[in-house]
Amino acid sequence: MQARHILTASERSRLLPFVVASGEISPRDQRDLMERPFFSLSKKKRTTPILYAAGDTRVEVFGMPEHGMATIWDADVLIWAASQIVEAENLGLTTSRFLRFTPYQLLTGIGRQTGARDYGLLRAALARLQSTVVATTIRNGQNWRRQQFSWITEWEICASRNGRAAGVEIVIPEWLYRGVIDRSLVLAIDPAYFRLTGGIERWLYRVARKHAGRQHTGWTFEIGHLHQKSGSLMRPSDFAIQIRRAAASQPLPGYRLNIERAGARELLRILPTDLPTHPVDNYVNGIGTSHASTIGTSHAGLSGLHTHKPQLSLWPETAIPALNLSNLDSNSYVDGKRRSADNPSCPSIAPFKGPGDGP
């Protein structure tokens, strides 16, 4: 007997879309994602789980064999989505977990090219983000509870008549969305971050931005502890070599890396410099401490607003009155009825299933 498949309703059928219509904005990152091992630091396919524990905090990440685990380059999609949501919230607009945008908006926003290869890599990144399973106890209150989700719960790429990718729809998980609309859990980052090519360099920048902020004395980590926090599959000795190389080349925008020793312990001190390529925050409220040797708490803050520039949009202006001002009931039902989020003017294409490098 053939097994029956239970069909579940699409989340897009009950969420109003947040149509991205803004121009250049300051990129923001979610604090929880900046200091803990949520992503693979290599472009090679990874299926070995990340299993991280520190005190009551647990992070478990599983990559599926078909696509592999989401990489730190794939996380650029989430950073861009978070940035758009924060900017809209700052303008008093209602947002949603369901985002609509053009591939051009996303790729240019994270410093990528817009050729056919880049669109293909974007499809592969979306596939990894959806197939990666995350389980964590972060932000679950006093009682130990575990939430499980994927970085993207649904996605679809719409194509124009000539077959070119013309629009994207994604739904991000509630856990991430709540961590973005809580302003104390978001930090502005330097746009130069997107130009960092190494996975460890990118991860180090996020750690630096989260912990060192703009503190004069910076922040100090034992390198062995950094290895644990990174989730890297490298041997501790090879990881330490990579950290020393980073300290020698100084790739991080706005931060300087110094190798220090305390007896037999090898330490990395992260110090802010006066040379960021873009203004970043100066203060953040209620930041916690890590389980490393630390110096004070971080003093990063929320960025100001930026002038919006016109952007290419797939959906007609009649579908986006007053640039998102129509999203007054996002994440809810309208007049007691489910409102369809489908876009009849945009024919859909099947999601790309193949693996690949970061987008």
Side-chain angles (χ1 to χ4, degrees):
M1 180 181 294
Q2 186 176 6
R4 291 186 178 182
H5 297 279
I6 300 176
L7 299 178
T8 57
S10 166
E11 285 196 271
R12 288 177 292 170
S13 67
R14 61 183 179 83
L15 297 172
L16 286 182
F18 164 48
V19 182
V20 174
S22 62
E24 182 181 355
I25 64 173
S26 173
R28 282 91 162 185
D29 207 347
Q30 209 283 328
R31 276 177 33 188
D32 296 321
L33 274 58
M34 298 173 78
E35 65 164 325
R36 297 182 176 95
F38 280 105
F39 303 97
S40 171
L41 303 186
S42 172
K43 289 185 179 181
K44 295 181 180 179
K45 182 190 289 189
R46 173 172 176 171
T47 56
T48 303
I50 293 175
L51 304 174
Y52 171 81
D56 293 333
T57 297
R58 301 286 190 277
V59 173
E60 300 173 359
V61 186
F62 304 91
M64 300 298 104
E66 183 178 2
H67 302 294
M69 184 181 297
T71 71
I72 198 165
W73 293 271
D74 300 336
D76 289 357
V77 174
L78 305 180
I79 293 174
W80 183 84
S83 305
Q84 297 295 334
I85 291 171
V86 171
E87 187 77 359
E89 293 275 340
N90 285 344
L91 293 171
L93 306 178
T94 303
T95 59
S96 169
R97 295 189 295 115
F98 172 18
L99 287 80
R100 277 180 174 171
F101 51 88
T102 67
Y104 178 87
Q105 287 175 302
L106 170 60
L107 292 172
T108 57
I110 59 177
R112 307 286 176 87
Q113 299 298 313
T114 56
R117 178 177 181 274
D118 302 283
Y119 286 98
L121 293 176
L122 173 59
R123 292 188 183 97
L126 294 174
R128 281 190 295 272
L129 289 165
Q130 184 182 39
S131 64
T132 297
V133 177
V134 181
T136 183
T137 61
I138 297 173
R139 285 190 273 121
N140 284 336
Q142 296 180 350
N143 298 322
W144 195 98
R145 291 190 302 114
R146 186 175 93 156
Q147 290 194 47
Q148 184 166 303
F149 53 86
S150 295
W151 292 121
I152 292 178
T153 60
E154 292 183 28
W155 67 276
E156 184 174 20
I157 292 183
C158 300
S160 59
R161 292 184 177 180
N162 62 7
R164 185 178 179 84
V168 182
E169 295 181 347
I170 66 173
V171 178
I172 62 174
E174 185 73 22
W175 183 89
L176 178 59
Y177 181 70
R178 289 188 177 277
V180 169
I181 61 176
D182 183 342
R183 311 300 177 83
S184 68
L185 297 178
V186 177
L187 295 174
I189 62 174
D190 196 310
Y193 165 80
F194 296 120
R195 297 196 292 271
L196 294 174
T197 57
I200 288 181
E201 294 171 354
R202 282 172 157 250
W203 180 78
L204 274 177
Y205 175 81
R206 299 174 87 182
V207 170
R209 184 68 189 92
K210 166 66 167 59
H211 287 289
R214 304 305 301 165
Q215 295 180 104
H216 177 71
T217 51
W219 200 279
T220 303
F221 286 100
E222 186 171 354
I223 290 181
H225 180 71
L226 278 177
H227 179 256
Q228 179 189 9
K229 286 173 68 70
S230 73
S232 172
L233 291 177
M234 288 184 182
R235 296 180 303 176
S237 58
D238 292 336
F239 181 84
I241 290 173
Q242 294 299 316
I243 297 298
R244 294 184 204 117
R245 287 177 178 171
S249 61
Q250 299 295 339
L252 304 191
Y255 293 95
R256 186 172 73 254
L257 305 175
N258 292 341
I259 300 295
E260 301 178 355
R261 292 194 177 274
R265 297 189 304 159
E266 187 174 23
L267 310 174
L268 178 70
R269 183 183 293 272
I270 304 172
L271 293 164
T273 69
D274 294 326
L275 300 174
T277 65
H278 188 80
V280 293
D281 305 336
N282 294 315
Y283 180 77
V284 112
N285 292 320
I287 190 167
T289 58
S290 84
H291 296 273
S293 300
T294 58
I295 302 177
T297 54
S298 174
H299 292 281
L302 296 177
S303 69
L305 300 179
H306 292 257
T307 302
H308 283 64
K309 298 179 181 179
Q311 274 282 16
L312 172 66
S313 179
L314 171 68
W315 294 274
E317 291 184 4
T318 54
I320 330 171
L323 298 183
N324 296 331
L325 287 176
S326 62
N327 298 336
L328 298 180
D329 296 301
S330 295
N331 258 341
S332 64
Y333 290 85
V334 180
D335 298 327
K337 301 179 181 179
R338 287 185 179 182
R339 177 167 176 176
S340 174
D342 294 337
N343 179 22
S345 65
C346 180
S348 62
I349 59 175
F352 180 81
K353 296 297 184 183
D357 294 337

